[in-house]
Amino acid sequence: MKQNDLTNMTYTSMFVAMAFVFGLITKFVPGLNLEMPQGGSVFGFPMVPLVFLGMLLGPRYGVLGGAVYGLTSIMLDGGVYHWVSIFSDYVIAFGVLGLTGLFKGALHDNVRFILAIVTVAFLRYLSHAFFGSIIFAEFAPEGVNPWFYSFVLYNAPYMLSSTAVTLVVGLLLRKRILRIAEEAGLVSV
């Protein structure tokens, strides 16, 4: 393993640990612990370090870090409803957050930054909603189409709020993260 790979894996581990701690805070602090009945936090603070990870180290480490966070967050949620949801609600859904690394210069520009976060949050939403309409169809209220329930009534509200939280916190931290990353040699000026 090259030194650069080891350094990047170390940074990836740190960002995943940050996301996990944010998940703990979100889960156990009254007022922040609002979530949907079968999972889905209203305040998506763990998304913040994962989108920055992708922007700083690229999609390879971003997706890896997101997937690892997804697996560790199963512990926060206390289990899964169906084995497929391990992939759809955790590995894929959080892994796609690392795709912010595909948006070159997102840390340098507010518009690209917002576009990167909105895009990956939408991909996460699609993972939850598409598989949710199949796996969790039984939870749809009587007479409500499971696809409508999953896409509109269940996943859209918490993903919209999580995306908004990530955008606000991310925009507040963007310049500071960029400055720290430049000093650490992670981002070229």
Side-chain angles (χ1 to χ4, degrees):
M1 182 179 287
K2 292 185 273 180
Q3 181 62 33
N4 196 35
D5 288 339
L6 183 60
T7 302
N8 288 345
M9 289 302 289
T10 303
Y11 280 119
T12 301
S13 300
M14 289 173 17
F15 277 94
V16 169
M18 250 189 294
F20 190 79
V21 169
F22 288 173
L24 285 172
I25 292 168
T26 304
K27 189 94 171 155
F28 296 111
V29 172
L32 293 179
N33 60 352
L34 303 173
E35 60 181 42
M36 301 299 280
Q38 285 85 42
S41 176
V42 172
F43 299 104
F45 291 114
M47 286 177 58
V48 175
L50 299 176
V51 296
F52 277 118
L53 171 62
M55 290 178 194
L56 290 169
L57 298 181
R60 176 180 168 202
Y61 291 101
V63 170
L64 175 66
V68 169
Y69 169 75
L71 289 172
T72 61
S73 71
I74 291 172
M75 292 184 291
L76 285 176
D77 292 344
V80 294
Y81 288 93
H82 191 279
W83 68 269
V84 174
S85 71
I86 293 170
F87 301 101
S88 63
D89 285 334
Y90 296 98
V91 176
I92 295 170
F94 288 103
V96 297
L97 297 177
L99 293 177
T100 53
L102 296 174
F103 292 81
K104 299 297 179 205
L107 279 174
H108 296 278
D109 177 56
N110 278 340
V111 173
R112 281 186 246 173
F113 185 83
I114 291 168
L115 181 62
I117 290 176
V118 169
T119 301
V120 298
F122 182 70
L123 292 174
R124 178 182 169 204
Y125 160 75
L126 287 178
S127 179
H128 288 304
F130 177 77
F131 289 104
S133 22
I134 298 166
I135 298 169
F136 300 108
E138 67 194 67
F139 293 106
E142 185 75 31
V144 177
N145 182 306
W147 292 89
F148 180 77
Y149 176 72
S150 182
F151 273 87
V152 178
L153 299 178
Y154 191 89
N155 289 296
Y158 82 84
M159 279 306 303
L160 285 171
S161 64
S162 290
T163 303
V165 165
T166 303
L167 281 170
V168 169
V169 173
L171 285 168
L172 291 172
L173 294 176
R174 183 183 69 80
K175 288 184 179 178
R176 180 166 292 191
I177 296 287
L178 178 60
R179 188 173 59 247
I180 292 168
E182 286 172 344
E183 290 171 5
L186 289 175
V187 175
S188 58
V189 181

